[in-house]
Amino acid sequence: MLGIARQALERFHDVTTDDDGALTFAHGGVVCALQGLELEEGLPVLNLTCVVAWDLPVESDVPTRVALGAGEGLFGTPRVIRGQNGWDVTLRYAFPASGLDEKAMGTLLMLVVSSASSMRAELTSEQSTVEP
């Protein structure tokens, strides 16, 4: 299933295979990792994790913006974590991969990473308008 996902992603991105078999790539400033696992026999699942933004200023109230629909994506679950240097935001999406051909897999993956990129653009646009 990761082979099909790799072929699908390579139509749009440079893809790297990590030592653990995960596929990594970047889309619109968002770093993504795709991992595969078999929950039980016959149930292959892919898990896509997108690192949307990191070290966003604490005073920018990122959790509220994300909760109110920053990025307005239909695919994926956003998560906001307060890191040492500010807010970090990820988007995760897990789905059964059985039966998806390259075109369908590519469409689904691009819907998720496009949502992550939209969220990143919205969350970081405030940062580019703040004067130093």
Side-chain angles (χ1 to χ4, degrees):
M1 74 185 144
L2 280 172
I4 294 171
R6 182 182 180 94
Q7 291 172 347
L9 288 168
E10 285 179 333
R11 295 186 349 210
F12 309 100
H13 305 287
D14 291 328
V15 179
T16 302
T17 302
D18 296 340
D19 292 340
D20 65 357
L23 305 177
T24 57
F25 61 98
H27 177 84
V30 175
V31 179
C32 303
L34 183 66
Q35 299 171 304
L37 64 122
E38 193 163 3
L39 286 180
E40 72 174 57
E41 189 174 334
L43 183 56
V45 173
L46 290 178
N47 180 38
L48 178 62
T49 302
C50 301
V51 181
V52 174
W54 53 94
D55 297 341
L56 297 174
V58 174
E59 56 277 357
S60 64
D61 200 15
V62 170
T64 299
R65 293 175 66 197
V66 169
L68 292 174
E72 295 278 332
L74 296 175
F75 296 95
T77 303
R79 182 162 188 205
V80 179
I81 301 166
R82 184 161 178 179
Q84 282 187 307
N85 299 313
W87 297 113
D88 300 333
V89 182
T90 60
L91 182 74
R92 293 186 65 187
Y93 185 66
F95 59 97
S98 182
L100 293 176
D101 64 14
E102 182 183 325
K103 185 176 180 182
M105 179 82 71
T107 299
L108 184 57
L109 292 170
M110 292 311 297
L111 284 168
V112 178
V113 297
S114 294
S115 291
S117 292
S118 294
M119 182 183 292
R120 176 178 174 77
E122 187 173 327
L123 292 173
T124 60
S125 67
E126 177 182 289
Q127 308 318 304
S128 62
T129 59
V130 174
E131 294 186 28

